[in-house]
């Protein structure tokens, strides 16, 4: 019934509360990447993207065309951020739909927190310049978590 569905989407439901914690952590992680990018741009005094960033301002008292040059430390964080933007929104939707399948609290915690851990490990591997193989090792369990959650949701949806 409609009431049962709405009850699943409240913080009194421990499965939804678990999702809310994991989702919030992923949103904060994704949002923090913007600040990490800015911090690295300030440290490098470069890595800017737009020509208007070269205007004289209080935060850029000595603009230089070289500030538009590629800076690897800034670009690395941008690539991490892009990877988050490609993956975390899928988790946010898949996780919310998964809550509606009424999984056990144990399963929900394992999947939601497991996903968070894989994203944090992927972040650390990417930030520290580990190989693609290492990043893939961190990424793959999270991808399987998403596949499982979406397959279970699809199964429940077509079984109704």
């Amino acid at each position: 019934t409609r009431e049962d569905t709405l009850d699943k989407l409240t913080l009194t439901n421990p499965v939804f509360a678990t999702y809310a914690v994991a989702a919030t952590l992923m949103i904060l992680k994704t949002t923090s990447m913007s600040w990490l990018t800015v911090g690295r741009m300030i440290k490098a005094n470069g890595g800017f993207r737009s020509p208007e960033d070269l205007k004289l301002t209080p935060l850029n008292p000595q603009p230089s065309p070289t500030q538009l040059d590629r800076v690897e430390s800034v670009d690395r964080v941008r690539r991490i951020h892009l990877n988050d933007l490609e993956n975390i929104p899928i988790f946010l939707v898949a996780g919310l739909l998964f809550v509606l399948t009424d999984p056990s609290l144990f399963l929900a915690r394992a999947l939601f927190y497991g996903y968070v851990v894989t994203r944090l490990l992927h972040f650390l591997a990417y930030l520290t310049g580990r190989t693609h193989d290492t990043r893939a090792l961190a990424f793959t369990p999270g991808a399987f978590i998403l596949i499982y959650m979406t397959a279970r949701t699809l199964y429940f949806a077509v079984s109704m």
Side-chain angles (χ1 to χ4, degrees):
T1 66
R2 185 171 189 267
E3 290 79 25
D4 291 336
T5 300
L6 292 177
D7 286 344
K8 289 178 186 169
L9 299 178
T10 67
L11 293 175
T12 58
N13 173 2
V15 170
F16 183 74
T18 300
Y19 165 76
V21 169
T24 301
L25 290 172
M26 291 293 84
I27 292 167
L28 289 171
K29 189 253 183 260
T30 303
T31 302
S32 70
M33 296 311 299
S34 299
W35 294 104
L36 185 56
T37 302
V38 169
R40 288 202 167 189
M41 288 168 53
I42 290 169
K43 183 177 178 183
N45 192 30
F48 301 161
R49 281 215 167 142
S50 302
E52 61 271 17
D53 296 339
L54 299 182
K55 292 183 179 176
L56 178 67
T57 68
L59 295 178
N60 193 7
Q62 296 179 328
S64 164
T66 62
Q67 289 174 315
L68 291 178
D69 291 348
R70 183 178 175 276
V71 175
E72 172 55 26
S73 64
V74 176
D75 281 355
R76 176 168 300 280
V77 176
R78 283 189 175 121
R79 290 191 302 270
I80 296 168
H81 194 189
L82 179 60
N83 189 275
D84 284 348
L85 292 172
E86 292 169 344
N87 290 280
I88 291 175
I90 296 168
F91 167 75
L92 297 175
V93 174
L96 185 61
L97 294 173
F98 180 73
V99 168
L100 298 176
T101 70
D102 204 22
S104 72
L105 181 57
F106 175 80
L107 179 61
R109 284 181 175 164
L111 296 175
F112 293 152
Y113 295 150
Y115 187 81
V116 170
V117 168
T118 66
R119 292 308 305 171
L120 294 177
L121 290 173
H122 184 268
F123 164 74
L124 290 172
Y126 217 146
L127 188 68
T128 58
R130 301 294 183 242
T131 64
H132 179 266
D133 296 356
T134 302
R135 293 193 317 269
L137 192 61
F139 175 87
T140 301
F144 283 129
I145 287 170
L146 289 175
I147 290 167
Y148 175 80
M149 290 191 310
T150 55
R152 178 182 165 120
T153 302
L154 181 61
Y155 173 78
F156 273 74
V158 298
S159 297
M160 299 312 263

